[in-house]
Amino acid sequence: MVLSGSGLDHSDAWRQRRFGNETLWNGQVDDDGQSNGLAAELVLPQPSGTILCDSIRRFKGLERPVVILTELRPDDARRDRLLYVGMSRTLQHVVLVVTPEVACNVGMPV
């Protein structure tokens, strides 16, 4: 699971969507990161071999074994809340792909 601190419509990770052999997927948004308006029961199942990608705010209340947090801006007034929500979505392992300023905020070595 990749969670972005920005909406997918502003996410560089979502725009790139392919990282080596890995492809990000979200059946509830289009290629531009805009909602496609589908009800949850109409979203196609996640294709095998893809990694679910969403914004931290949209994924609130859900969990995954491994969560990668990215695109958290050090100047975002919501940063601490987004970190808390994002980090609490993981069941086993969390990976932060963030700037040194954000990493220092959570006590991570830089």
Side-chain angles (χ1 to χ4, degrees), residues 5-105:
S6 66
L8 294 188
D9 56 337
H10 292 87
S11 169
D12 290 332
W14 180 251
R15 272 192 284 283
Q16 181 169 339
R17 215 163 17 266
R18 188 147 179 85
F19 299 88
N21 294 329
E22 306 301 335
T23 302
L24 302 181
W25 176 87
N26 187 319
Q28 295 185 324
V29 298
D30 62 20
D31 289 341
D32 295 324
Q34 299 289 328
S35 173
N36 58 23
L38 290 177
E41 62 272 5
L42 298 177
V43 174
L44 295 175
Q46 181 176 347
S48 64
T50 63
I51 298 170
L52 182 59
C53 180
D54 212 337
S55 70
I56 294 171
R57 292 185 337 166
R58 283 180 33 101
F59 207 70
K60 189 175 179 180
L62 302 171
E63 296 175 327
R64 287 290 191 271
V66 177
V67 173
I68 300 169
L69 297 179
T70 190
E71 299 179 320
L72 290 157
R73 295 186 330 263
D75 61 340
D76 189 338
R78 305 166 305 153
R79 180 193 64 206
D80 292 347
R81 182 72 181 149
L82 290 171
L83 273 167
Y84 172 78
V85 172
M87 292 178 79
S88 65
R89 300 304 90 210
T90 185
L91 296 171
Q92 297 171 2
H93 192 74
V94 65
V95 176
L96 296 175
V97 181
V98 296
T99 64
E101 296 87 359
V102 173
C104 286
N105 187 64

